[in-house]
Amino acid sequence: MRRTVTPLIPPAASSALVTAAMKGNRAQDTRPELTLRSALWHAGLRGFRKHVKDLPGHPDVVYRKRQTAIFIHGCFWHSCPKCKIRTPRTNSTYWREKLRRNMIRDRIVLQEIRRLGWRPLRFWECEIQRSRDACLARVRRSLNIST
Ligand SMILES: [Zn+2]
């Protein structure tokens, strides 16, 4: 699935907010990730690995035995359908293209994960903030653990 893509040259950050967001994109162990992992731990859903490099998309949390791969997606970077965060007005062409590519990549990654026989679970940053319990319930269901 090699595709040739024109590299996108990031513009200089137009504001402190954008700078923070750009940093957030690179960072592992982002706040929603830490929140979810800590919740999983406290709920007894242990034995996961993080940032697994040998699976498509490098899932954030992985339960190998149950073949469950969890992706924690920032609402801005992955275009959360609920939050509908507006594209920054400055350098909007760049941002639109960047976010569009992220969406395409996400779709391909989820398909690939399924094709390999794994169950992908995607959690949005806002879901983790709002309803941690619902997120945990989804993980339990995927791991076939009844509460
Ligand atoms: Zn959201």
Side-chain angles (χ1 to χ4, degrees):
M1 56 168 213
R2 182 163 297 175
R3 294 167 298 147
T4 39
V5 272
T6 334
L8 262 184
I9 313 295
S14 57
S15 68
L17 195 80
V18 171
T19 308
M22 286 165 94
K23 279 193 185 137
N25 190 36
R26 286 195 301 267
Q28 291 190 332
D29 299 328
T30 57
R31 186 172 309 199
E33 262 186 68
L34 293 173
T35 305
L36 184 68
R37 283 210 308 265
S38 145
L40 291 168
W41 182 261
H42 288 295
L45 304 169
R46 300 178 189 176
F48 53 78
R49 300 217 184 175
K50 47 181 197 169
H51 311 306
V52 173
K53 301 278 188 277
D54 62 354
L55 282 173
H58 304 165
D60 299 300
V61 173
V62 161
Y63 291 92
R64 261 189 205 283
K65 277 185 211 151
R66 304 286 181 165
Q67 298 204 299
T68 295
I70 301 177
F71 294 89
I72 296 154
H73 280 173
C75 293
F76 170 72
W77 288 100
H78 299 268
S79 306
C80 170
K82 268 190 204 144
C83 295
K84 293 185 182 125
I85 300 169
R86 264 217 228 131
T87 317
R89 245 178 287 164
T90 319
N91 304 310
S92 61
T93 314
Y94 164 81
W95 285 111
R96 254 198 305 278
E97 180 59 13
K98 169 99 187 146
L99 298 175
R100 191 183 68 86
R101 289 183 190 191
N102 284 352
M103 276 173 81
I104 294 169
R105 191 174 45 223
D106 289 345
R107 209 175 307 146
I108 293 170
V109 163
L110 294 180
Q111 275 170 12
E112 279 295 295
I113 289 273
R114 281 195 200 96
R115 201 178 56 77
L116 294 169
W118 285 64
R119 273 183 300 266
L121 288 180
R122 159 151 79 175
F123 292 112
W124 295 99
E125 178 186 353
C126 61
E127 284 181 287
I128 295 170
Q129 278 163 6
R130 270 190 235 126
S131 46
R132 217 172 296 176
D133 289 346
C135 295
L136 290 177
R138 274 174 64 199
V139 175
R140 277 197 195 94
R141 262 202 305 279
S142 184
L143 302 178
N144 280 314
I145 299 168
S146 50
T147 37

